[in-house]
Amino acid sequence: MKAQRPKENRRLALATAPLVLFLLLFFAYPVARLCVLSFADPEGPLASYARLLSVPAYRAGLMATFGISSLVTILSVLCAYPVAYLMASVRPRLAALLGLCVLLPFWTSSLVRTTAWIILLQRYGVINSLLLHAGLIRSPISFIYNLSGVLIGMTHVLMPFVVLPLYSAFRGLDRSQLDAAEGLGGSWLKIIGRLVLPLTSRAACSGAAIVFMSALGYYVTPALMGGARETMAAQLIAFNVEDQLDWPMAGAFSSIIVAASVMIFACAQRLSGPGGLFGSPVKATQATRSDVAIRRSPLDWGVAACGAALLFFLILPLLIIAPMSFGASPFMSFPPEHLTWRWYHQVFTRPQWRAALWNSLQIGMIAVTGATILGSLAAIGLDALRGRVRTAAEMLIIMPMIAPAIALAIGLYYEFAPLHLLSGHWGLGLGHIVLASPFVFIAVRSALQRFDPTLLDAATGLGAGPLRVTYRVLLPAIAPGVAAGAIFAFVTSFDDVVLALFLTDVRSRTLPRLIYENVSQDINPTVAVASTLVALATLLVLSINLLLTKSKS
Amino acid sequence: MNSFFSGKPVALNQVRKSYNGTGILKNISLDISAGRFCTFLGASGSGKSTLLKIIAGFEYADSGEISIGGRNMAQVPARRRNIGMVFQNYALFPNMSVARNIAFGLETRRVSRNETRARVNEMLEIIGLSGFGDRLPSELSGGQQQRVALARAMVIRPDVLLMDEPLGALDRVIRQSLQTQIKDIQRSFGITILFVTHDQEEALHMSDDVVIMRDGMIEQIGSPQDLYARPINRFVGSFLGDCNFISRNGKEYAIRPEATHVGDASNGRDHILDGVLSQIVFLGGREKLTVMVGDMNFTAIRNVSNTNEPIVPGSPVRIGFSLRDATALAK
């Protein structure tokens, strides 16, 4: 009779197997193969790494990758502090509104945001037009196609990763501690140095780690907003695959950024303690708070004003993209002279846009179905695993969030090309399942952590078999987590450019890929329309999620 | 109320359980007659909750036998044991209404819809929550939720009802009123209840039998009156209320404060102790006195009356008792 429980457990543990096998096949194997390829240079096993250091363009690219990533990380942390402080020090209602300014851009495609920045910052774009009109400058400033363009674009995309954990840390700060410190005669400088920084540094560090890891493999923003000197590793990987056909070189670059990401992740994971780096992504919006800070010092006001300005910086691209899509001028001049539906009409009637939209939706469905099933099963089965096996499975499942997408993209390209998987929807669909299943896994895990396991005993004690326990008790409890996971999966698939660039062709290309191709050649109003549509779709899907969670609680 | 079902006896024979080499239950043997209210009383870690889980079938013993109504449970999984279980945190299904929660065990037993409705309504009436059937558990107070949990466990007419610290999360007033309700229901239906608690007062109020547990072993079994008046050892004596221990003629005795006499009332007792009052606590009709006798604290109780000579801490006090009111402890 002793054997009954463990047997049940072993059966439950099998639920993790499908996702683990899937990721071994379509994530670990292709990425590992790139690493092997990097040592397969015809001139010798380490020749590709030698060339990486000896060819000036590659050496510069490597320097730029780590340099820009560091700069973006520092900027993100510096900018995140005032924003998080402002959000944490206002009434809950206003905080929720300000939170939207962070979350909306956070969940909007980075391609859409980059496009919007280009519209804003280009030579005769919105900002330059305004400054010229106001007479503040004589000739347009070049904001983009240089370092400032890359920094603005990447900081904008990555900063929310620091804002969210920091906000949660600030909410956790006990206001009375600060009051006590002030009552004891501490100056604001001392309070910040002795209390605020030490208590929030852990959150800032874990946010910074995510930013740095993501920045290392970044492709879209530097490619579209940077100049030649800002060429980063991901672009060099693409260049070696597409133009040079130098796979060992591409493998070497990939191995370096993958290794760097994994190392940073391991360190950050250890630093951030139980729950890990991605432990509770939703916690920030849940805490309630009764006391509201009273602004007392000029410094306090200054920081809050900074925070407000930075929030405006975050939301600005989303505010500008929709109006610009209605502008009549094909050169996107600002302010638009008159408004028109013409570009919308073009997007919906031109076969290439319609086909791309249709492709995106179909691939999104593949990704949602696959990731939701595999991710939910794995999350349920994880509880039956123990010790090292559990840690290894968890690491493998989270890894696609950490590893640079470019490495996955070319790894899968190398794996799929001989299988002729690049012309239909399945190649990209499988890739998107890899990208999206960690989101489902995390969402369902966090639902399971809130689930009271004695409910299972209660149901069993009342005579329910495993099947009934699952569909009457377990599934209803984790359904909101599964739904949230499915939504994240769709958004992930619908926003992806990098995988789409390598795993689709002219016929199967998705909406983001078509936008990317248009932006990189010649930016025109149809791009603004398509971007607006992508942003709207994201907004729609996320508000469904919000409504679902609202009605539940 | 009609007695529509009756509890069954429970027998445990040499039940053992250990986790990672640590013994949680060490050779537990016990017979509980049908229709008794039996409480397992012990500190946390004494193994009482594990024992309950093993009886329910949520955990498995390493060795030993469990039988309910004379039937060996070794090969019977939890869901076929016909046991009702009430958990400390209620464990109501949050997505189901009160009525559907109560009906859950009938649903698994394929009871017809009409009968289910009738039995659920009957239970709602018994627990005093008629008209609450359509509410969600989250819309009820803690005490109401626990009553629903009780109804859900009872509606299946279980052979035995297991309750794992069911009142632990409730506040004092609600706890006391539920104690009375549970006891009334148990008596009128003749249910066998195994009840786990660490609250000695609760155990004394409700139980027919109390099983005192320590470190995975049974220290003593008996009625509340028995255990209070005749503790078998120091542990049981001091676990239930205040108790004084004295050595006489090479034997150790336990004597309750109620059996002692203070001041003039001590005249004529066969044992007289002189000490100094260190503390006096007013309990309403009575006073509890802590007296230093030599290097030992002795607790005594006296009734409050006008004729009492007033005493303050520091003043000398004489205490008397008779050895026949004390209990000799096992060595």
Side-chain angles (χ1 to χ4, degrees), chain B residues 27 68 97 124 132 135 170 183 186 189-190 283 319 327:
Chain B
N27 202 12
I68 297 171
S97 68
L124 282 170
F132 283 69
R135 305 261 184 110
L170 301 170
K183 184 66 193 164
Q186 183 262 339
F189 289 94
L283 297 175
I319 300 166
T327 311

Side-chain angles (χ1 to χ4, degrees), chain B residues 312-324:
Chain B
V312 291
S315 46
V317 179
R318 170 163 290 185
I319 300 166
F321 60 91
S322 302
L323 213 51
R324 62 184 149 81

Side-chain angles (χ1 to χ4, degrees), chain A residues 123-186:
Chain A
R123 195 160 172 78
Y124 289 99
V126 177
I127 306 266
N128 273 323
S129 301
L130 282 176
L131 291 174
L132 283 170
H133 271 289
L136 288 171
I137 51 171
R138 290 270 171 88
S139 57
I141 302 172
S142 7
F143 290 109
I144 51 172
Y145 310 124
N146 54 27
L147 183 62
S148 70
V150 177
L151 291 182
I152 291 174
M154 286 179 69
T155 305
H156 182 262
V157 170
L158 295 173
M159 189 178 125
F161 285 107
V162 196
V163 175
L164 295 175
L166 254 190
Y167 170 57
S168 161
F170 268 115
R171 298 279 294 238
L173 267 188
D174 194 349
R175 187 76 210 171
S176 57
Q177 281 179 358
L178 302 187
D179 288 343
E182 208 192 4
L184 291 170

Side-chain angles (χ1 to χ4, degrees), chain A residues 1-2 4-5 452 454-466 468-469 471-473 476-477 552, chain B residues 58 60-62 64 74 78-79 83 87 89 91-96 100 104-105 107-110 152 156:
Chain A
M1 69 185 191
K2 216 174 122 188
Q4 292 191 26
R5 270 273 150 136
D452 172 13
T454 51
L455 289 182
L456 300 178
D457 276 349
T460 307
L462 290 166
R468 194 191 295 268
V469 172
Y471 77 83
R472 290 278 279 149
V473 179
K552 272 281 159 191
Chain B
F58 302 141
Y60 290 89
D62 297 338
R79 66 194 187 97
I83 281 176
F87 301 85
N89 61 355
L92 295 176
F93 307 122
N95 53 315
M96 300 180 205
R100 304 212 69 170
F104 191 85
E107 180 190 308
T108 65
R109 283 165 174 75
R110 303 185 195 289
R152 183 179 68 178
I156 60 170

Side-chain angles (χ1 to χ4, degrees), chain A residues 380-432:
Chain A
I380 293 170
L382 190 76
D383 279 327
L385 298 179
R386 293 275 171 275
R388 288 220 182 127
V389 185
R390 183 186 174 119
T391 317
E394 231 176 338
M395 278 298 267
L396 177 67
I397 293 169
I398 298 295
M399 214 35 98
M401 294 177 88
I402 293 125
I406 186 79
L408 175 64
I410 62 162
L412 284 177
Y413 176 72
Y414 196 84
E415 189 179 354
F416 286 166
L419 303 172
H420 305 292
L421 270 174
L422 301 180
S423 50
H425 293 140
W426 280 101
L428 186 56
L430 291 173
H432 281 179

Side-chain angles (χ1 to χ4, degrees), chain B residues 32 34 67 87 92 106 116 142 169 172 199 208 258 265 274 292 315:
Chain B
I32 301 146
S67 64
F87 301 85
L92 295 176
L106 301 175
T116 298
R172 193 180 163 80
D199 181 340
D208 299 319
E258 293 84 356
D274 283 306
M292 280 298 276
S315 46

Side-chain angles (χ1 to χ4, degrees), chain A residues 141-409:
Chain A
I141 302 172
S142 7
F143 290 109
I144 51 172
Y145 310 124
N146 54 27
L147 183 62
S148 70
V150 177
L151 291 182
I152 291 174
M154 286 179 69
T155 305
H156 182 262
V157 170
L158 295 173
M159 189 178 125
F161 285 107
V162 196
V163 175
L164 295 175
L166 254 190
Y167 170 57
S168 161
F170 268 115
R171 298 279 294 238
L173 267 188
D174 194 349
R175 187 76 210 171
S176 57
Q177 281 179 358
L178 302 187
D179 288 343
E182 208 192 4
L184 291 170
S187 70
W188 270 100
L189 212 60
K190 243 186 201 153
I191 292 174
I192 290 173
R194 289 280 183 77
L195 268 174
V196 176
L197 288 183
L199 290 171
T200 55
S201 62
R202 182 177 270 200
C205 279
S206 60
I210 297 178
V211 170
F212 193 78
M213 285 185 311
S214 314
L216 280 180
Y218 233 71
Y219 183 72
V220 172
T221 308
L224 293 179
M225 292 179 77
R229 288 203 300 173
E230 288 77 45
T231 304
M232 291 176 69
Q235 290 157 275
L236 291 170
I237 293 170
F239 169 72
N240 271 294
V241 170
E242 289 174 326
D243 297 341
Q244 302 292 96
L245 302 177
D246 186 349
W247 279 91
M249 202 59 230
F253 269 114
S254 303
S255 303
I256 286 175
I257 56 174
V258 169
S261 304
V262 170
M263 259 157 52
I264 292 161
F265 176 69
C267 294
Q269 190 81 351
R270 195 159 288 181
L271 261 180
S272 60
L277 212 46
F278 299 100
S280 46
V282 284
K283 207 168 67 187
T285 47
Q286 281 177 346
T288 51
R289 172 195 173 93
S290 49
D291 56 338
V292 175
I294 306 156
R295 304 210 182 289
R296 289 167 277 210
S297 65
L299 178 66
D300 212 359
W301 277 103
V303 173
C306 261
L310 285 161
L311 277 171
F312 182 68
F313 163 77
L314 279 174
I315 199 75
L316 180 63
L318 289 190
L319 294 180
I320 207 71
I321 192 87
M324 291 309 280
S325 68
F326 288 104
S329 152
F331 308 108
M332 310 194 77
S333 61
F334 185 85
E337 278 142 32
H338 38 261
L339 305 177
T340 173
W341 283 99
R342 193 172 128 207
W343 314 116
Y344 280 84
H345 188 254
Q346 267 195 15
V347 165
F348 281 109
T349 51
R350 279 207 185 151
Q352 54 164 346
W353 286 105
R354 287 173 60 159
L357 179 62
W358 186 230
N359 286 334
S360 271
L361 290 175
Q362 281 177 293
I363 288 165
M365 281 304 118
I366 295 177
V368 167
T369 314
T372 308
I373 294 173
L374 295 178
S376 307
L377 277 177
I380 293 170
L382 190 76
D383 279 327
L385 298 179
R386 293 275 171 275
R388 288 220 182 127
V389 185
R390 183 186 174 119
T391 317
E394 231 176 338
M395 278 298 267
L396 177 67
I397 293 169
I398 298 295
M399 214 35 98
M401 294 177 88
I402 293 125
I406 186 79
L408 175 64

